[in-house]
Amino acid sequence: MPFRHKAFAALLAFLFGGLGINRLYLRQRGWWLPLSVTLITLPLLVDVSNWYQTPAFFVMMVPIVAGFVQALVIALTPDPRFDARFNAGSTRTNHSGWDAVLVAIATLMIGTTIMMTTIVLLMQTWFEHTLARS
């Protein structure tokens, strides 16, 4: 069984969480779900004006934001708990330090910005749609 590095798993979730690459690395079930949502919704955004106000955009943002949440959870998980879950039976253990902390900081900065921007765009779209119906 291959050894899985905690900071690398968090980095994969930070960079490619919307594709589920981190879940594949950690050998989790359903790793393909974020990938399928992203691949189904991405073509629906091509050549669409105001693509950031379409339902497909908001559906696509779910696995992307979930990837940031997973990155934060993985980075902040204590090393013994991570090893017990993902490196059971291995003689090696994680000794994460600043690498996991830096991934957590970047995740909070960028992930929060993306999540808040998505919420703002959702509210704007909803208000514009509501006002247009009035």
Side-chain angles (χ1 to χ4, degrees):
M1 175 175 257
F3 179 75
R4 293 174 189 89
H5 296 273
K6 182 177 93 167
F8 184 66
L11 183 64
L12 284 175
F14 172 74
L15 296 174
F16 305 111
L19 301 175
I21 302 300
N22 61 309
R23 297 175 63 84
L24 180 63
Y25 175 71
L26 294 174
R27 308 234 193 254
Q28 291 179 318
R29 286 190 216 151
W31 67 267
W32 51 270
L33 285 171
L35 177 63
S36 63
V37 170
T38 303
L39 289 179
I40 288 170
T41 56
L42 196 57
L44 299 174
L45 299 174
V46 176
D47 291 334
V48 175
S49 63
N50 294 342
W51 54 267
Y52 52 87
Q53 290 184 314
T54 63
F57 170 74
F58 297 114
V59 171
M60 185 180 71
M61 290 310 292
V62 171
I64 292 171
V65 170
F68 287 118
V69 172
Q70 287 179 335
L72 192 58
V73 168
I74 292 169
L76 297 178
T77 300
D79 290 341
R81 182 178 287 175
F82 181 87
D83 288 332
R85 182 168 181 196
F86 297 110
N87 291 321
S90 177
T91 57
R92 295 176 61 189
T93 58
N94 276 289
H95 299 289
S96 58
W98 281 104
D99 50 357
V101 172
L102 293 175
V103 170
I105 291 170
T107 299
L108 282 173
M109 288 172 42
I110 295 171
T112 303
T113 302
I114 289 174
M115 184 180 70
M116 292 304 296
T117 303
T118 303
I119 292 171
V120 167
L121 287 171
L122 179 64
M123 292 294 106
Q124 175 189 355
T125 304
W126 183 73
F127 281 123
E128 287 177 0
H129 180 72
T130 303
L131 290 175
R133 295 175 73 193
S134 298

